[in-house]
Amino acid sequence: MLEVRNLHVFYGGIHALQGVSLSVPEGAVVTLLGANGAGKTTTLRAIMGLVRPREGTITLNGVSLIGKRPYEIVRLGLSMAPEGRRIFPDLTVLENLLLGAYARTDHDGIARDLSFVFSLFPRLKERERQRGGTLSGGEQQMLAVARALMAAPKILLLDEPSLGLAPVLITEMYRAFARLKEEGRTILLVEQNARAALSLADHGYVLETGRIVAEGPAAELRESDLVRKAYLGV
Amino acid sequence: MATYLQQLLNGVTLGSLYALIAIGYTMVYGILRLINFAHGDVFMWAGYWVFFLVVLFHLPWWMAALCAVALTALMGVAIERVAYRPLREAPRISLLITAIGVSFLLENLIIVLPWAGGRQKPYPTPAFMTQIYQAGNVRIQGVTIWVPLIAAACLLGLIFLVYRTKVGRAMRAIATDTETTALMGADINRVISYTFLVGSALAAVGGILWGCRYPRLQWDLGIMPGWRAFTAAVIGGIGNIVGAMLGGFLLGLAEILIVAFLPGLSGFRDALIFAILIFFLLFRPTGLLGKPLKEKV
Ligand SMILES: Nc1ncnc2c1ncn2[C@@H]1O[C@H](COP(=O)(O)OP(=O)(O)OP(=O)(O)O)[C@@H](O)[C@H]1O
Ligand SMILES: [Mg+2]
């Protein structure tokens, strides 16, 4: 269980997060929705230890993550597919994936997870020896997700995995997420694509200019006026 | 023919020394975007470590050499830890000035240390390096054989480390994206320490072998080889490890061949090397093998 309470983050004078609270229970898929600049990425970056909150708490199963360095947080069981994919262009697909498992020493487990992510994204298997930079945008996103899975995280953080993808690829991506959910994996999914996210998630939060303005079970959020108007365009 | 072969071997010898030093410049630049001005002095210190250990502690030469590699490598790690790491988030220029400061410190330490002194010291060269081998009418000195062999072994080891091990993967990853490498669960500080360890160890091997070829120790002996190796790194494409090796060999060969066959120009050799450096920086800053290095994220 990941718990974020009353999180405040500043960039210089900009008050980017103004008291964000959310929780991700074990086995659940939770989505965090919001428009451009709402603070979604900042929330994930604070959880991963990439920005330091001025106030608030972040705990994973009761252990505080505040002040921990990113590699320590990965070792505690979180991993993230960052915004913009951020794959290593000069490394091969396989090397990217193995880097995802950097903190692990269980070679059997790594081999098992490698064949798992290849079954999840067969295109990656075909391109195993290719440099990451030669992949298409969709394939790079698959690689980013697969690489995060290679850490065998307790909770997987995804930052706008559908951004910039063709509809058919978004469908493919979400099919993979559905499979992860079936397996009982815990996911915190950041999206602007509310339709896709809410159809997958159990629970959702809506973030606007640094504050949570709505939350609830995904089915309820989908019916709420706020979400229908602002995010589903109906 | 014989002189030609001999000069070729001399060029390879010198080139392999430059290659060993150039690696450290290029690896550190790739990761920190820092021209580590202290690197040539780290190289110089390796020779002095051998001198201290042999002359003051009477260690056998090979043992002194091994200890010198270890001590120099730790020195490189310590320099990063103490002088560069606190400036990780500072503007590049502060880091650059600090590197120059470290360089002066390392040189001046040698000048004031009682056993090193300001005066030249003879480098303890082992017999197998000075021995002459005769093959037909080609006479070859031990250094000419051993230096390229040892250098080649080290460079192969480096390639294995960088391209076939986990920490090597992280080193290559950091060179393009530090933050994402941290997100992979890698302790960035550790990976950077490893980089300095490896770069300084190779410079140490270079320094120890350099002493066998030019057996005089003096506080400033690292400066010119440092500049030449840096030039080699730029020729090969700064940040590119294979490029640094290539640049080192090319520069060493060019230098020896010019001195041997155009002796009239040999007085200009430092000027020529700086001209090459400036030429590359102006017209081909990415070097022979380098791709344009993006601003790091
Ligand atoms: N490094 C930074 N320096 C200054 N301001 C920043 C920085 N990163 C983000 N911000 C600001 O913080 C606010 C939240 O940004 P954030 O990237 O978290 O939004 P987001 O919800 O992820 O948006 P998007 O959907 O565009 O990815 C924005 O106003 C943004 O301009
Ligand atoms: Mg974002």
Side-chain angles (χ1 to χ4, degrees):
Chain A
M1 169 99 142
L2 175 69
E3 291 244 33
V4 175
R5 286 284 158 266
N6 189 33
L7 202 62
H8 288 262
V9 172
F10 288 77
Y11 294 111
I14 304 170
H15 197 170
L17 295 188
Q18 312 179 9
V20 168
S21 298
L22 57 84
S23 49
V24 184
E26 206 176 313
V29 175
V30 173
T31 183
L32 177 61
L33 304 171
N36 278 324
K40 306 179 297 294
T41 298
T42 304
T43 306
L44 294 190
R45 289 173 62 82
I47 294 171
M48 291 307 297
L50 294 171
V51 293
R52 214 189 164 97
R54 185 170 301 179
E55 210 186 308
T57 59
I58 304 170
T59 56
L60 177 64
N61 301 328
V63 180
S64 171
L65 303 185
I66 301 283
K68 291 214 158 51
R69 312 245 315 280
Y71 80 93
E72 297 172 303
I73 292 171
V74 173
R75 278 154 213 234
L76 285 171
L78 297 186
S79 75
M80 170 159 94
E83 182 173 62
R85 298 142 197 173
R86 303 280 283 265
I87 57 138
F88 299 105
D90 297 329
L91 274 58
T92 65
V93 167
L94 183 62
E95 286 176 326
N96 268 278
L97 291 171
L98 292 175
L99 263 179
Y102 196 86
R104 299 171 67 182
T105 49
D106 56 323
H107 296 283
D108 297 344
I110 293 173
R112 219 173 315 117
D113 283 342
L114 198 59
S115 52
F116 172 71
V117 298
F118 282 148
S119 79
L120 200 59
F121 300 114
R123 286 150 176 268
L124 294 182
K125 174 74 186 162
E126 291 162 23
R127 307 213 180 328
E128 194 179 349
R129 308 265 158 213
Q130 244 169 274
R131 290 187 330 109
T134 65
L135 300 186
S136 71
E139 289 161 352
Q140 292 194 1
Q141 187 63 64
M142 291 172 191
L143 180 54
V145 172
R147 188 180 63 178
L149 281 168
M150 287 303 294
K154 294 194 183 97
I155 304 183
L156 177 66
L157 276 50
L158 302 171
D159 196 346
E160 297 205 46
S162 67
L163 189 70
L165 298 192
V168 48
L169 282 173
I170 297 182
T171 311
E172 194 175 332
M173 191 66 72
Y174 270 79
R175 207 175 292 137
F177 297 162
R179 195 169 145 199
L180 294 175
K181 182 182 172 173
E182 255 166 53
E183 286 200 343
R185 306 248 187 172
T186 312
I187 301 175
L188 174 54
L189 170 66
V190 157
E191 270 291 6
Q192 283 196 54
N193 185 340
R195 197 182 303 274
L198 286 173
S199 66
L200 177 81
D202 302 302
H203 200 87
Y205 293 84
V206 179
L207 193 60
E208 263 175 28
T209 56
R211 286 175 219 269
I212 301 283
V213 293
E215 85 164 280
E220 274 174 36
L221 270 186
R222 208 160 33 205
E223 301 308 321
S224 74
D225 286 345
L226 174 93
V227 171
R228 283 164 61 93
K229 281 212 194 69
Y231 299 98
L232 298 175
V234 288
Chain B
M1 184 61 212
T3 31
Y4 192 77
L5 186 66
Q6 205 139 9
Q7 295 303 350
L8 201 66
L9 284 174
N10 286 339
V12 169
T13 305
L14 189 62
S16 50
L17 291 170
Y18 290 158
L20 285 172
I21 314 169
I23 298 293
Y25 281 110
T26 226
M27 286 178 87
V28 166
Y29 186 87
I31 288 180
L32 297 184
R33 297 293 185 266
L34 162 73
I35 297 167
N36 183 9
F37 279 107
H39 193 59
D41 304 293
V42 168
F43 155 87
M44 172 270 289
W45 262 85
Y48 273 96
W49 282 123
V50 174
F51 173 79
F52 294 146
L53 293 168
V54 169
V55 175
L56 300 176
F57 295 94
H58 308 291
L59 287 190
W61 188 86
W62 62 271
M63 203 188 276
L66 284 181
C67 293
V69 172
L71 287 166
T72 312
L74 292 179
M75 232 170 132
V77 172
I79 289 168
E80 187 275 329
R81 181 73 193 78
V82 174
Y84 302 157
R85 191 175 300 178
L87 296 171
R88 194 75 58 73
E89 307 300 324
R92 295 296 85 174
I93 187 74
S94 313
L95 201 57
L96 207 63
I97 291 168
T98 305
I100 294 172
V102 173
S103 163
F104 285 151
L105 176 71
L106 294 179
E107 291 168 12
N108 283 283
L109 267 178
I110 288 296
I111 294 177
V112 298
L113 273 182
W115 325 279
R119 253 184 301 136
Q120 270 194 6
K121 293 278 185 281
Y123 180 82
T125 311
F128 70 95
M129 286 288 189
T130 47
Q131 192 178 335
I132 306 280
Y133 300 88
Q134 182 106 27
N137 55 354
V138 184
R139 288 161 51 84
I140 304 172
Q141 219 193 348
V143 266
T144 322
I145 297 167
W146 289 111
V147 168
L149 282 181
I150 295 170
C154 291
L155 296 179
L156 284 176
L158 175 80
I159 287 180
F160 179 81
L161 176 86
V162 170
Y163 290 96
R164 286 286 175 274
T165 69
K166 194 158 126 169
V167 68
R169 244 184 335 253
M171 286 173 181
R172 284 181 291 141
I174 285 193
T176 51
D177 189 341
T178 310
E179 188 178 279
T180 306
T181 310
L183 275 183
M184 302 295 104
D187 180 351
I188 297 305
N189 286 333
R190 259 186 100 108
V191 179
I192 291 177
S193 291
Y194 268 114
T195 306
F196 274 83
L197 189 83
V198 171
S200 307
L202 291 178
V205 174
I208 290 163
L209 298 178
W210 184 274
C212 298
R213 192 157 193 277
Y214 306 101
R216 293 167 302 276
L217 290 173
Q218 191 162 307
W219 64 273
D220 62 354
L221 81 86
I223 297 175
M224 277 323 295
W227 276 110
R228 290 177 198 155
F230 176 66
T231 304
V234 170
I235 291 176
I238 188 110
N240 185 318
I241 289 168
V242 178
M245 299 180 186
L246 177 72
F249 281 107
L250 284 179
L251 199 65
L253 274 173
E255 191 180 325
I256 291 292
L257 295 182
I258 285 173
V259 172
F261 298 109
L262 302 165
L265 284 179
S266 66
F268 293 100
R269 75 174 171 180
D270 287 337
L272 271 174
I273 281 163
F274 281 109
I276 293 173
L277 177 60
I278 291 166
F279 172 85
F280 269 89
L281 289 176
L282 283 179
F283 299 110
R284 193 161 168 85
T286 57
L288 296 175
L289 298 186
K291 288 175 304 166
L293 275 180
K294 287 181 291 257
E295 265 310 296
K296 263 181 70 174
V297 267

